[in-house]
Amino acid sequence: MFSEPDFAYEDTMPSFAAALRSAIDAKGLGLVRIQDRLSRRGVSVSLATLSYWQTGRSRPARQSSLAVVRHLEDILDVPRGALTALIDPHRPAMGAFWPRETRVEDAVSEVDIGWDDRLTRLSQHDRVVVGGDRGERTSTSRQVLRAEADGPDRWIVINHIDEHDRALPTIRPLRNCHLGRTISRPQSGLLVAELVFDAPLRRGETIVLEHELISRPPHPLATNYERKFRLPVREYVLEVCFDPAAAPGRCEQFARTAGNAERVRPMAVDHRHTVHSVALDFGPGCFGFRWDWD
């Protein structure tokens, strides 16, 4: 369960990005000089990452990034912990719950995630279509989001396929958004994309987004589908629609939340060859279905 204050951002709250910018300005160092001083300490970090941290486009999350921030405190002559204290250690990173977190973090670093923490997930509905060849054809997603500050203008989509020898799916915006930057990493089976809103949101304003992922043939055997939630969602609906010629013999729903064991329960495919489940106040964690045709 989660309550409204978990997502409220007060304008007076200290921000890691604002504190970092202030420390850099006070020290009078440019990012190139900061990067050089870090390098002398044996710490490697890109200029883009430093820039994203000070503008709020991204925040340090991995342990290696937190170590960089501790070095920054020394270089910028701020009290020990002044910057690290502004990073929430309990908030999962963007790559949380993915099998190879660092690869996801690397791909996500190339898009603008600055507003992600300020969008409350009110509702998410995924509809997956499995064809007669037992391969995943499409997945359509609808999100209802609420802005907790003025300015959010995009939503980040992360898609991962297990079979790295096949083409990544095509992403198609359907409602109230258009495609921004897209990062394709076929060797890792990763697709990351920005869905840019038609206009930035004001605090308290909501938006309904829809997009579709279209798999490219040949379609490999589909045996599961799961959604990963870095932040909680009020309502999640997952629906998998099977071709009448290829309904599975067994299906189960599973859920994993941070620090807890996986929970599994059997599910019956209905007369429309569809299975669905609803989760309320779920996450952070993973929620999905898996099935077979035995």
Side-chain angles (χ1 to χ4, degrees):
M1 301 290 288
F2 65 99
S3 60
E4 197 76 13
D6 293 335
F7 290 92
Y9 284 79
E10 297 298 333
D11 296 336
T12 56
M13 283 183 64
S15 152
F16 169 78
L20 179 59
R21 284 197 307 273
S22 177
I24 290 173
D25 291 342
K27 189 65 176 177
L29 293 177
L31 295 186
V32 173
R33 292 180 64 191
I34 292 174
Q35 183 191 45
D36 179 63
R37 294 195 182 190
L38 287 169
S39 180
R40 293 178 194 175
R41 293 168 172 245
V43 178
S44 177
V45 62
S46 71
L47 288 174
T49 296
L50 291 173
S51 176
Y52 289 171
W53 286 355
Q54 73 163 348
T55 58
R57 285 186 61 179
S58 66
R59 69 173 65 185
R62 289 178 289 173
Q63 288 301 315
S64 58
S65 297
L66 295 178
V68 174
V69 176
R70 295 186 186 99
H71 284 285
L72 284 173
E73 290 173 341
D74 291 338
I75 292 170
L76 299 175
D77 292 329
V78 298
R80 183 64 61 88
L83 295 177
T84 53
L86 299 177
I87 303 170
D88 184 354
H90 303 296
R91 186 178 295 277
M94 288 294 289
F97 309 113
W98 295 88
R100 299 198 176 187
E101 179 177 337
T102 56
R103 292 188 178 183
V104 174
E105 292 286 339
D106 181 60
V108 168
S109 70
E110 298 189 34
V111 298
D112 186 352
I113 62 171
W115 293 110
D116 189 71
D117 288 351
R118 303 196 180 194
L119 288 167
T120 296
R121 284 73 167 158
L122 296 178
S123 178
Q124 170 97 31
H125 185 174
D126 292 335
R127 185 176 186 270
V128 182
V129 176
V130 178
D133 59 356
R134 301 180 178 180
E136 182 180 322
R137 297 299 181 85
T138 63
S139 62
T140 305
S141 297
R142 178 182 65 85
Q143 298 89 17
V144 181
L145 309 169
R146 186 182 67 222
E148 303 303 338
D150 292 338
D153 65 351
R154 67 197 62 210
W155 172 258
I156 305 302
V157 175
I158 305 174
N159 179 259
H160 176 263
I161 58 175
D162 296 324
E163 301 82 6
H164 299 173
D165 58 343
R166 70 182 180 95
L168 294 173
T170 300
I171 184 167
R172 184 163 68 101
L174 298 177
R175 187 179 178 194
N176 296 330
C177 59
H178 61 273
L179 199 58
R181 190 167 189 189
T182 301
I183 307 300
S184 298
R185 299 284 173 81
Q187 69 277 11
S188 303
L190 277 170
L191 173 68
V192 177
E194 297 174 335
L195 294 181
V196 182
F197 308 161
D198 294 337
L201 301 181
R202 296 185 300 274
R203 183 173 184 170
E205 191 174 3
T206 57
I207 188 171
V208 179
L209 297 181
E210 290 185 11
H211 73 277
E212 181 179 42
L213 288 166
I214 306 168
S215 299
R216 302 181 187 183
H219 304 105
L221 185 69
T223 59
N224 67 87
Y225 183 92
E226 71 175 43
R227 169 69 63 177
K228 298 171 177 63
F229 293 97
R230 184 178 74 93
L231 298 174
V233 61
R234 293 278 182 90
E235 175 200 65
Y236 178 53
V237 180
L238 175 57
E239 181 182 14
V240 181
C241 305
F242 298 95
D243 187 283
R250 183 181 66 88
C251 182
E252 65 183 20
Q253 175 239 299
F254 63 90
R256 299 189 303 275
T257 53
N260 295 310
E262 181 177 270
R263 303 189 306 275
V264 178
R265 67 186 180 106
M267 300 292 295
V269 177
D270 65 22
H271 66 284
R272 299 183 183 88
H273 311 288
T274 297
V275 61
H276 83 276
S277 188
V278 179
L280 300 177
D281 296 330
F282 180 81
C286 304
F287 189 97
F289 288 129
R290 48 182 169 243
W291 58 86
D292 60 49
W293 282 271
D294 294 338

